[in-house]
Amino acid sequence: MRIDVFSIFPTMVGDFASQSLLGRAAQKGLLDIRVHDLREHTTDVHRTVDDSPFGGGAGMVLRAEPIYASVEAAEPPRPLFLLGPGGRRLDQDMAKELAETGGFSMLCGRYEGVDDRVRTDLCDGELSIGDYVLGGGEVAAMVVLEAVGRLIPGVMGNAESAGDESFSHGLLEYPQFTKPAVFRDMEVPEVLRSGDHGRIERWRRSRALLRTMAARPDLMEARGGLSEADQALLAEFPPES
Ligand code: ADE
């Protein structure tokens, strides 16, 4: 899978993409992340990527020419998303959708804006990582890379580990523990040390349900509340058990 990123801070995104999970995915040949420096396609000695807005006002606007030149030279995989708070909001379903494509691309906006011809003519859509305003799209690009990258088959070591977790079944994750069994008088639930895998699985699901009900009632509602099987689990493992 190929993902191209266009930015005026390419090392920020490139360094991130070369480490940890994404770096390993690249080494395994599963992911080809290409970061392009928009300044490479400027024509003046100062490598100017921005200019003042027509109509006046504060701030600078990223110019269309270097962005078009950079995209046309790279011929990146489409769709090309402009990153900004006005876009479709990234969630786990969208991350999955993107992970199932052959590739896509992201353009990091900066400063007060990007020449709107880039948005309307060059880009195919807009993508936001949440309802807040960042100084630029670089952090958003990194969020998308990580959320999507880990869903590409083979990227995570254990084939199950990308699926069995928060949001994958519309529930938050069950609590996890490791050694020691007792730490500062806090004991790991007995069931997890019982070796009874059926019981462990049922307990985990009951805890995922309880956690989701307490912290994210909206997710509970979205999945239609508690099924009969869920209610049976909560009867077997009540909250205080
Ligand atoms: N650039 C600035 N704010 C952003 C956001 N919320 N999501 C994606 N890119 C952005």
Side-chain angles (χ1 to χ4, degrees):
M1 178 172 193
R2 175 175 157 188
I3 306 175
D4 285 31
V5 181
F6 298 85
S7 166
I8 56 170
F9 297 114
T11 54
M12 208 165 146
V13 183
D15 285 352
F16 176 78
S18 69
Q19 310 209 12
S20 185
L21 179 114
L22 297 175
R24 284 200 306 277
Q27 274 172 5
K28 287 196 231 169
L30 297 168
L31 191 52
D32 176 11
I33 298 175
R34 302 188 196 178
V35 186
H36 307 278
D37 183 359
L38 293 172
R39 283 190 203 279
E40 271 181 19
H41 292 273
T42 50
T43 47
D44 62 314
V45 286
H46 302 294
R47 312 217 303 159
T48 314
V49 286
D50 58 347
D51 208 337
S52 52
F54 273 118
M60 301 290 270
V61 175
L62 279 182
R63 295 166 52 229
E65 291 111 307
I67 299 176
Y68 268 76
S70 185
V71 169
E72 282 163 1
E75 296 185 2
R78 297 276 181 163
L80 167 61
F81 296 106
L82 175 62
L83 294 168
R88 176 180 166 194
R89 184 117 51 94
L90 179 75
D91 59 15
Q92 192 65 16
D93 287 339
M94 187 178 185
K96 268 187 220 151
E97 268 173 45
L98 290 172
E100 283 161 11
T101 64
F104 63 95
S105 304
M106 296 181 277
L107 167 62
C108 303
R110 265 280 145 181
Y111 305 133
E112 279 66 31
V114 179
D115 188 301
D116 206 50
R117 289 165 288 199
V118 168
R119 182 181 67 83
T120 57
D121 176 69
L122 183 65
C123 292
D124 305 301
E126 289 172 81
L127 205 166
S128 166
I129 61 161
D131 284 343
Y132 36 78
V133 180
L134 302 167
E138 283 74 14
V139 171
M142 292 189 264
V143 168
V144 176
L145 287 174
E146 179 134 335
V148 173
R150 61 190 293 287
L151 296 176
I152 297 168
V155 167
M156 302 271 286
N158 176 347
E160 280 170 50
S161 50
D164 185 17
E165 60 184 27
S166 297
F167 297 122
S168 65
H169 308 291
L171 293 178
L172 299 179
E173 220 172 341
Y174 50 77
Q176 297 271 30
F177 302 90
T178 187
K179 290 180 273 300
V182 181
F183 171 69
R184 299 194 179 179
D185 287 339
M186 294 175 282
E187 205 170 327
V188 172
E190 175 279 323
V191 53
L192 295 178
R193 295 176 280 150
S194 68
D196 180 341
H197 294 293
R199 224 173 127 234
I200 291 172
E201 206 169 296
R202 295 199 305 284
W203 180 87
R204 283 180 163 165
R205 187 163 173 84
S206 78
R207 265 41 198 171
L209 287 165
L210 288 175
R211 207 170 183 179
T212 311
M213 284 159 61
R216 294 291 305 273
D218 57 310
L219 292 179
M220 242 18 238
E221 205 172 308
R223 62 191 291 285
L226 290 173
S227 68
E228 273 183 29
D230 294 341
Q231 289 175 30
L233 279 177
L234 295 183
E236 183 180 0
F237 298 107
E240 62 283 1
S241 69

